[in-house]
Amino acid sequence: MVKTGLRNGYILLLFIIFSFILNETIIIGNDFIAEATDQMLSGQQIYFSEFIIPLICMIILGTIAAYLKSIFGKQYSSTVQKDVRLSLGNHLLKLPFSYFDEKGTGSIMTRLIFDIEEMGRFFSEILPNLLVNLIIVMTATIYLINIDVMLIIVLFISYPIMLVVADRLSKKLAELAKKLRTHMDKRTEKAYDAIQGIVIGRSYNLYDIQRKKIEVDINNMVTQACKSTRISSLGWVLKNIITTIPVIFCYLFALYEITQGKITVGEMLAFTVILNRILYPIGDIVFCANDIREVGVSLKRIQEIYNQKEERKDGTIHNRSENTKIIPAIEWKEIDFCYDNSKEHPILNGISFSIEPGEQIAFVGGSGEGKTTIFKLLCGFYEKNSGQYTLFGHPFESWNLEAARGFFSIVSQNVFLFPETIKQNVACGKEHATEEEIVEACKNANIHDFIMSLPKGYETLVGERGVLLSGGQRQRISIARAFLKNAPILLLDEPTASLDIETEEKIQEAIEKITIGKTVLVIAHRLSTVRNAKRIYVVNGGRIVEIGTHKELLEKQGIYAEMYAKG
Amino acid sequence: MLKTFFRFMKLMGDRLPIYLGAILLSTIGDTGRRIANSYLIKNIVTAAQTNQFDQILFVVFINFAVFVLGLFLWRFGIIRYNIEAWIGAGKIEKLIFSKAMRLPMSYYEKNHSSDFLSKLIFDARKALDIYTSRLRRLLSAILSTVIYLIPMLYFSWDLTFCLIVISLLAFWINSLFANPMKKFGRCLSAQNAKMLEKLTNILSGIELIKVFPVRSRILKEYEDAGKEYFHIQKNGNRLSAGLECLNCMFDLIGALAFLGLGIWFVSLGRINLGELTALYVLYGAFRNVFSEIGLYFPQLMECIANAEKIFEFLDLEEEPKQWNYKESDNKIEDENSENILSMKNVSFSYSNERKILENFSMEIKKGSFVAIVGESGCGKSTLAKLLLGFYPLRSGSILINGKEYSKLTLKEIREQISYVPQEPYLYETTIAENISYGRYHANREEIIAAAKAANAHDFITKLPNGYDTILGERGNTLSGGERQRIAIARAIIRNTSILIFDEATSALDNESESLIQDTIKNLKGERAILMIAHRPSSILSADMVVRLEL
């Protein structure tokens, strides 16, 4: 983020240059007045015509400088915003899966919309203001020093105290800003949650409950904001005190100096004019700290995303070796895994299995026994705690993650579709897929006829998460996607669970087609679907308790047989 | 535009006078002390010229007193108005949320949730600026201009008059920018919603993106949206930079005209130097507020565009309290009190193209277990949604416990039905609370009993935090079967006369499923159970099987 700020620093530099020019124009203009006043007071005749041409030049120069100053200042902010936004998007895609489990969508969204907007405010308002104010104060101070050093000392005498107070206040404000954002995150999360679950919310009449809950967060936001108003208004009051009281003394002091004959009335006039110009900047510089600290909270929240470690990129192996026929496609030895690193609730407990290329194996067991977790580990969404995972003869750690994931296609019970057209959703399977390939994949997935029956065919929009389609239709689109990817390893996670018989037949047919020549891992809790598997692994409590073919397991009279009898 | 603005202000309701009063108070406090300051300068310069110092200390004292008083007023006003502004902002957010929850179902199907979230995070925030800063600055600028004018006219009416002419010219130019700025605000707001949609694609599709080769496309779409946003911002920047430079030009012209005229007037002897300096100090402040008008007026326009977006959303038609059918259908009363639910000649289609249900009738008695089967996409889930009153019927009628749907509010209808959809949604809160959403004031024993009935108790107690485990987004920390069982517990605890299970046990293993099936059958009693299913096991034990065809 700092880098982005610096990379675009040249825009900021241009901004500073033009601010300087603008400011100089105004100061030079004031020189004219001082001069003219002095002349006037000394009884000389003033010819306005003498001023006209330089004044018009100044207006033109000032106007141009003002435009350029403003455009560069704003452009700087927009550019930084854009760069941060884009690089954050890119970064998010590289983050490990677990990040998305921890941080809710609502919180990430608030950061990418609200906090970046706040950051933009920093770059478009606060930082340029600070710089401009510094320039104004500095140039004006130099100018004033030429008139009288003592005046400057009087002006800045109360500064150190103010700096301390401003620092205290700004810390307090930053704290409140942080709290405000926490409530904001919660508010967004609840809103997101409520809108995603609208079907349940509506059928269970949850409106009042949800409204009350979100109102608590909104009220908290308001309370925090009100608190910080009270504190920052203290800052404003102090700002006015430092900009007013010393000035009164300045005037009196100047008056004294005039009586002593140290400065002229004209000089005093110029002094007054300049002083008025720098009064606000002087106060602003000190209490900029409030704004900076507050925006700092937003910047920190954005930085937090940047600081998240990306998924590993160290894998060097990109391709399978030639003699793939002999090596197992996947081999697991004693793999342990738990989600929260606490060893208390292991999900997988010493899982070992292996599968040759072209084989079909199945994992069965009750729901919640960790079968889906096996798939997530296979794809490298999570890292195992211990044990050995070998993919096509190489340890998984030495694989390039993207390349390794290229070997897998997943068809699961929860299908995610992008809110785009059917065509775009199927095309996810392969980069630059042609129209023919997409249609071919849909035909194979037994969904082509349905798609053609829609008025807009392949261009039909599926709605958020595919709400406009039925479960079976979504499922078949996800199979078409897998067809298009044509990956050597297929992970099927209960793909037919929620389907009616006819659709199940269609999908079964599609699945049979897609599994030809593939290495297939199936998860099932319904045993009818796994009878043909070469080996069946029975998972219970994160362990593999039985292995064998359907027939062997039945003969064993163990858990599997028991399960089968109940089904 | 004005209409939007006034409507926006009206949202504050009773508090509007307090809010406006606070603005007035803070402005008076602020300008008051500045005017006092200019008097001080006038006196000092005059004293310097005339060498008469006897009054100075008294003037300083008065000035100081006014300063303190002004500051006090100002602080009081500013705190009050900020608080009122935030209360108003909170109110708007609440309104947006309430609205988002009450739209007809078709809205959620057609619009991405980012649309609503963008309103809440982005538009509401920008519109809040109207309350917190833009309006105040504009109002106090206008107010203080008027206040400043009084002493300025007093110092020199003719010089001030010239300045007013220049300022009015500047104001007119500013107002020309109002419409383009508003348009810019609207574009930005719309693009923000698009960008958020693309961001949601990244966030919720992450699993897919990691496995399928779509990363570059999804990222590119997000980047394109971000670049387009930048592009719109850039155009807006040009617009506001142009405006700022015009204001700066008028500022310089004003300053120079002031100087020229001032010098001329002094040489003519119309005003003295002290008055001129005082006038200049006042003019400095006057011009300052004027350039603020120039700066904040277009920003106010931009914010009003956001307010307009919000109002468009708030004006969307809500789901009615009840569906109004034609009068002629009203007379049907179900004679048979045994029937808990009956549908008569129901026809329904989402659009005019394809009828989902045509002249569909069925009667369901108390204590019956009905299986609904049919091909995917033939309307089984639609049937459930019609029963829940999500959509109005095209024709026909539905009676629940002998009462016509058209005579019941949707809330009353939904109170009698518990629905468990195919992919049950769990909220990001504790398991206990998720179950209690079935009956909000249920105590822990009731929750546990429901969980036991849904065969969920065992796995819940195995979790580190048991019933107080907070679920992840969409309940993603649980497996599919676990989610379904919690959803079933939530339906069971509601204790309604009709239960609809839409493939609600699909992700369960046979054992859990048969346990739950038993529970469900035990629930029959005075109730009716509709089960959308395809397993022979569920269909065989049904009292009635309804087959839907395409």
Side-chain angles (χ1 to χ4, degrees), chain A residues 409-410 428-429 481-482 485, chain B residues 207-215:
Chain A
S409 278
I410 302 185
C428 286
R481 205 151 59 185
K485 188 176 179 188
Chain B
E207 185 173 332
L208 195 71
I209 293 169
K210 283 194 187 291
V211 178
F212 286 94
V214 276
R215 207 179 95 182

Side-chain angles (χ1 to χ4, degrees), chain A residues 91-146:
Chain A
H91 186 71
L92 276 174
L93 283 172
K94 289 180 189 156
L95 290 179
F97 204 70
S98 51
Y99 178 74
F100 299 90
D101 288 345
E102 281 163 31
K103 280 272 175 277
T105 311
S107 147
I108 302 179
M109 272 189 218
T110 319
R111 281 162 211 241
L112 265 83
I113 300 295
F114 177 79
D115 286 312
I116 289 185
E117 199 70 30
E118 285 290 292
M119 181 195 77
R121 202 168 65 84
F122 172 74
F123 286 114
S124 73
E125 288 175 26
I126 302 169
L127 183 64
N129 256 345
L130 179 67
L131 290 173
V132 168
N133 287 340
L134 275 175
I135 290 172
I136 292 177
V137 170
M138 263 156 32
T139 48
T141 309
I142 291 166
Y143 180 83
L144 290 177
I145 286 176
N146 285 331

Side-chain angles (χ1 to χ4, degrees), chain B residues 18-61:
Chain B
I18 306 176
Y19 170 75
L20 291 177
I23 289 183
L24 186 70
L25 214 59
S26 66
T27 311
I28 291 174
D30 199 36
T31 43
R33 83 196 152 77
R34 280 178 213 224
I35 289 171
N37 191 31
S38 78
Y39 266 92
L40 177 74
I41 291 166
K42 174 187 168 254
N43 284 313
I44 284 176
V45 175
T46 313
Q49 273 183 298
T50 57
N51 281 326
Q52 287 175 335
F53 303 112
D54 39 336
Q55 294 277 303
I56 284 298
L57 281 178
F58 176 67
V59 171
V60 168
F61 176 74

Side-chain angles (χ1 to χ4, degrees), chain A residues 193 213, chain B residues 426-434 437 468-472:
Chain A
D193 205 21
K213 283 182 81 176
Chain B
L426 297 184
Y427 293 96
E428 251 186 286
T429 175
T430 62
I431 291 180
E433 190 165 352
N434 260 298
Y437 279 162
D468 296 317
T469 307
I470 294 176
L471 299 180

Side-chain angles (χ1 to χ4, degrees), chain A residues 366-373 413-414 525, chain B residues 426 459 475-486 507-508:
Chain A
S367 67
E369 301 284 7
K371 292 169 309 197
T372 306
T373 309
Q413 44 181 333
N414 281 333
H525 41 242
Chain B
L426 297 184
F459 90 80
N476 63 9
T477 38
L478 298 178
S479 78
E482 289 168 339
R483 281 201 294 271
Q484 285 191 335
R485 279 180 276 176
I486 292 178
L508 295 173

Side-chain angles (χ1 to χ4, degrees), chain A residues 361-464:
Chain A
I361 64 165
F363 294 95
V364 302
S367 67
E369 301 284 7
K371 292 169 309 197
T372 306
T373 309
I374 295 180
F375 279 13
K376 287 186 174 170
L377 255 68
L378 279 173
C379 294
F381 290 161
Y382 300 101
E383 307 244 332
K384 60 186 171 24
N385 294 8
S386 62
Q388 231 183 332
Y389 169 14
T390 321
L391 180 67
F392 291 115
H394 300 286
F396 192 73
E397 291 71 31
S398 57
W399 275 98
N400 173 285
L401 264 184
E402 219 170 303
R405 283 178 188 150
F407 295 126
F408 294 97
S409 278
I410 302 185
V411 177
S412 69
Q413 44 181 333
N414 281 333
V415 178
F416 178 83
L417 296 182
F418 288 110
E420 297 172 336
T421 62
I422 291 180
K423 192 169 127 191
Q424 278 172 310
N425 269 297
V426 176
C428 286
K430 187 179 171 189
E431 266 178 305
H432 316 297
T434 63
E435 191 102 7
E436 290 79 46
E437 285 174 315
I438 292 171
V439 172
E440 179 66 29
C442 289
K443 279 184 181 158
N444 281 330
N446 279 337
I447 183 83
H448 177 73
D449 293 340
F450 163 73
I451 296 172
M452 293 316 284
S453 77
L454 296 166
K456 284 187 187 158
Y458 280 88
E459 300 299 328
T460 309
L461 289 166
V462 302
E464 191 169 1

Side-chain angles (χ1 to χ4, degrees), chain B residues 451-462:
Chain B
K452 277 183 179 156
N455 195 23
H457 180 73
D458 289 344
F459 90 80
I460 295 172
T461 45
K462 268 188 222 158

Side-chain angles (χ1 to χ4, degrees), chain A residues 33 41 48 55 59 63 66-67 70 74-75 78 81-82 85 93 95 104-105 112 114 117-118 187 192-193 195-197 200-207 209-210 213-214 219 222 225 229-230 233 236-237 240 244-245 251-252 255 259 268-269 273 276-277 280 311 345 366-368 381 405 408 413-414 416 419-420 424 428-429 431 455 464-465 470 472 481 485 497-504 506 525-526 566-567, chain B residues 33-34 41 44 49 53 56 64 67 71 74-75 79 82-83 86 93-94 97-98 101-103 108 113 116-117 125 195 201 203-205 207-208 210-211 213-214 216-217 221-222 229-230 233-234 237-238 240-242 244-245 248-249 256 259-260 273 277 280-281 287 319 353 374-376 411 414-415 419 425 427-428 433 437 440 464 473-474 479 482-483 485 490-491 494 506-511 513 534-535:
Chain A
I33 326 169
L41 286 175
F48 193 59
L55 292 188
I59 291 178
T63 308
Y67 180 76
S70 168
K74 289 182 176 17
Q75 212 59 6
S78 305
Q81 270 184 60
K82 180 198 72 175
R85 221 174 244 135
L93 283 172
L95 290 179
T105 311
L112 265 83
F114 177 79
E117 199 70 30
E118 285 290 292
R187 173 264 271 150
Y192 185 69
D193 205 21
I195 193 106
Q196 296 283 323
I200 291 295
R202 191 151 289 184
S203 44
Y204 283 69
N205 289 328
L206 297 178
Y207 168 69
I209 298 167
Q210 288 177 332
K213 283 182 81 176
I214 201 165
N219 289 341
V222 173
T229 294
R230 281 176 202 283
S233 78
W236 298 326
V237 166
N240 278 295
T244 308
I245 308 263
Y251 286 148
L252 292 175
L255 200 57
T259 60
M268 174 171 169
L269 209 53
V273 169
N276 259 290
R277 224 164 233 296
Y280 289 95
E311 271 187 321
H345 297 275
S367 67
F381 290 161
R405 283 178 188 150
F408 294 97
Q413 44 181 333
N414 281 333
F416 178 83
E420 297 172 336
Q424 278 172 310
C428 286
E431 266 178 305
E464 191 169 1
R465 289 177 176 267
S470 79
R481 205 151 59 185
K485 188 176 179 188
S498 57
L499 300 170
D500 51 279
I501 297 165
E502 282 99 316
T503 319
E504 189 168 348
K506 278 186 190 166
H525 41 242
R526 225 163 275 284
K566 276 181 188 155
Chain B
R33 83 196 152 77
R34 280 178 213 224
I41 291 166
I44 284 176
Q49 273 183 298
F53 303 112
I56 284 298
F64 189 72
F67 167 74
L71 207 56
W74 179 72
R75 177 168 187 247
I79 290 178
N82 258 311
I83 289 175
W86 270 95
E93 289 207 353
K94 287 173 195 169
F97 178 77
S98 297
M101 292 294 107
R102 298 163 89 153
L103 294 165
Y108 309 103
S113 60
F116 148 62
L117 286 172
R125 168 72 198 171
M195 201 165 66
N201 280 350
L203 296 178
S204 30
E207 185 173 332
L208 195 71
K210 283 194 187 291
V211 178
V214 276
S216 48
R217 177 167 77 86
E221 281 178 1
Y222 172 71
Y229 187 82
F230 171 65
Q233 263 188 335
K234 213 158 109 183
N237 287 348
R238 281 206 198 105
S240 54
E244 242 175 76
C245 102
C248 182
M249 188 176 82
L256 297 173
L259 285 178
L273 207 54
T277 319
Y280 184 75
V281 170
R287 211 186 44 200
E319 177 179 74
E353 284 140 13
E375 228 178 300
S376 162
K411 199 175 171 194
R414 289 169 192 161
E415 267 164 8
Y419 175 53
Y425 191 90
Y427 293 96
E428 251 186 286
E433 190 165 352
Y437 279 162
Y440 199 54
E473 223 164 281
R474 300 181 152 259
S479 78
E482 289 168 339
R483 281 201 294 271
R485 279 180 276 176
R490 181 167 65 190
R494 262 189 110 196
S506 58
L508 295 173
D509 51 283
N510 290 336
E511 193 178 344
E513 187 183 23
H534 70 280
R535 295 251 166 72

